[in-house]
Amino acid sequence: MSKSLRKGLFSFIVLLIIYQDSPLGLYAGAFGYSFVPIFSLMLFAIIILIEKGKVLKDKYIKGFVRIFIYLTIVSFVAVIVWAFMGKPLVILHEDIFSKTFKGLLYFLSYICFLYDMKYLSQYMGKNEFVKPIFIVFILLTLIAIIEYFTLPNAFSFLHFTGEKHYGRIRLLSKESSWTSMTIFVYGILSLYYSFIKRNKLYLYLTIICFAILILLTSSKTLLIVFFIALIIALMINAKKMTKKSIVISIILLALGLGGYFLLSGKLSSAIERSLQWSSIFTRVYTILIGLIIGVVYPLGTGTAIYLKVFPDFLKKYLYLI
């Protein structure tokens, strides 16, 4: 595969990741929310054919393969035990065997995605690797601005499994809670790109875009993580930066923090929800339930049985709060 084709496919996947409410979700559930899983599986097969069965060796991917093998064994053992116990064989309107297969296929697509990106970026330098991520991050900001001014009908023609009319910024995902991680990953890598390029314009543009996205989404978790990451990045690169650059960065940091507290209350009800503690309690409680499931089922539950166990445990341990 030529270098230019590899770069083109790499950039395409980086762009494809941000769309997480595709029509495939209507037929394949969570597996189809994004085009990335199915595209990763297809691209992996094509790469193996092109390379005539030759596989790249990578310790990180190898570790995921081991996890996949373990998950497969646990999933099928759990299904067999579940059936012998006389438990319902249909979960969320679908038989547990189909659920197991879909869950394993989803995890397998992660491995294929990692392999594909490893293969496509094999001959890329740092700049070539991060540049498309930086460009897509700028695009994400433009999408957020357009969404803000067109709510609640923003990009409704691109949403198939989520609500057509939505009152919060969700970018191109199913719901707003999915946006923070996308913004964080693309934003941090964009910051990294500006530092390795040693370009002040890129740095200030990234900070401004990050600030806009934080303001529009009113995500406090994203705000905290971003400022911590930015401070650490500035400390690491302080010797390479001029005093003027450091001062401007600190001013932008202060303006962004101040602007958030002044404007975020007008953009969403996130602060009000935090004052009522409902959002925090929900997250803490679900984490606690996850830990309890880990204690009760130390070997795991598999990809299908978990969909029944988790909601049951949520109801069972409500007395804890």
Side-chain angles (χ1 to χ4, degrees):
M1 188 180 290
S2 67
K3 186 176 180 181
S4 59
L5 180 57
R6 291 189 189 209
K7 288 175 65 176
L9 285 171
F10 181 87
S11 299
F12 176 70
I13 294 175
V14 168
L15 177 62
L16 195 63
I17 290 172
I18 68 174
Y19 182 43
Q20 300 176 44
D21 197 4
S22 81
L24 284 178
L26 297 172
Y27 310 99
F31 180 79
Y33 288 157
S34 170
F35 286 119
V36 173
I38 186 67
F39 185 79
S40 297
L41 290 167
M42 293 170 62
L43 182 59
F44 175 77
I46 292 171
I47 291 172
I48 295 300
L49 288 173
I50 291 174
E51 297 297 329
K52 298 179 180 179
K54 185 179 179 181
V55 179
L56 289 175
K57 294 181 180 180
D58 185 275
K59 291 182 179 179
Y60 186 68
I61 297 175
K62 196 173 182 179
F64 272 91
V65 171
R66 291 196 187 100
I67 295 173
F68 175 73
I69 294 171
Y70 176 80
L71 181 61
T72 302
I73 295 171
V74 169
S75 294
F76 282 107
V77 170
V79 166
I80 294 171
V81 172
W82 186 266
F84 272 112
M85 290 175 65
K87 299 286 187 177
L89 299 182
V90 177
I91 298 176
L92 299 177
H93 311 292
E94 189 174 20
D95 69 272
I96 56 177
F97 299 101
S98 296
K99 287 286 187 186
T100 298
F101 177 75
K102 283 184 179 180
L104 292 173
L105 188 64
Y106 202 0
F107 194 90
L108 179 62
S109 71
Y110 290 155
I111 299 173
C112 291
F113 168 78
L114 292 173
Y115 186 89
D116 294 344
M117 298 304 270
K118 171 77 175 179
Y119 176 83
L120 296 175
S121 62
Q122 192 175 9
Y123 302 108
M124 288 185 185
K126 291 180 180 179
N127 287 344
E128 292 176 304
F129 184 91
V130 192
K131 184 178 179 180
I133 298 174
F134 172 75
I135 294 172
V136 173
F137 184 61
I138 305 301
L139 178 62
L140 275 173
T141 308
L142 295 175
I143 290 171
I145 293 171
I146 294 172
E147 279 197 359
Y148 177 68
F149 287 105
T150 56
L151 289 175
N153 302 310
F155 298 110
S156 59
F157 63 95
L158 291 175
H159 294 282
F160 293 88
T161 59
E163 297 178 20
K164 288 288 185 180
H165 307 289
Y166 201 80
R168 297 182 62 191
I169 301 297
R170 56 176 168 173
L171 301 180
L172 298 179
S173 60
K174 184 179 178 181
E175 55 182 79
S176 59
S177 61
W178 294 17
T179 60
S180 294
M181 185 55 67
T182 303
I183 294 170
F184 174 72
V185 172
Y186 279 78
I188 292 300
L189 289 175
S190 295
L191 273 177
Y192 174 70
Y193 179 68
S194 67
F195 282 123
I196 61 175
K197 289 289 288 185
R198 298 184 181 181
N199 190 305
K200 297 177 186 177
L201 177 61
Y202 289 172
L203 174 61
Y204 300 146
L205 182 59
T206 301
I207 293 174
I208 290 170
C209 287
F210 229 136
I212 291 172
L213 287 166
I214 291 172
L215 283 169
L216 294 180
T217 59
S218 295
S219 172
K220 292 170 292 303
T221 302
L222 185 61
L223 174 73
I224 294 169
V225 171
F226 166 69
F227 282 116
I228 291 175
L230 183 57
I231 290 170
I232 293 174
L234 289 173
M235 290 172 63
I236 292 174
N237 292 273
K239 292 182 180 180
K240 300 177 182 179
M241 298 174 67
T242 63
K243 291 182 179 179
K244 183 179 178 181
S245 298
I246 294 174
V247 171
I248 293 175
S249 298
I250 293 173
I251 291 173
L252 287 172
L253 194 67
L255 288 174
L257 188 61
Y260 174 83
F261 287 113
L262 287 172
L263 300 176
S264 60
K266 299 178 182 180
L267 297 175
S268 80
S269 60
I271 294 177
E272 182 181 348
R273 289 199 311 273
S274 295
L275 291 174
Q276 295 172 349
W277 295 94
S278 60
S279 178
I280 296 174
F281 272 132
T282 300
R283 285 163 174 78
V284 172
Y285 182 57
T286 51
I287 291 171
L288 178 62
I289 292 302
L291 293 173
I292 293 174
I293 292 175
V295 172
V296 178
Y297 299 96
L299 298 179
T301 62
T303 58
I305 307 305
Y306 179 79
L307 298 174
K308 176 64 175 173
V309 172
F310 182 67
D312 286 351
F313 272 53
L314 285 174
K315 297 175 184 178
K316 183 178 180 180
Y317 293 97
L318 274 173
Y319 68 89
L320 294 175
I321 57 173

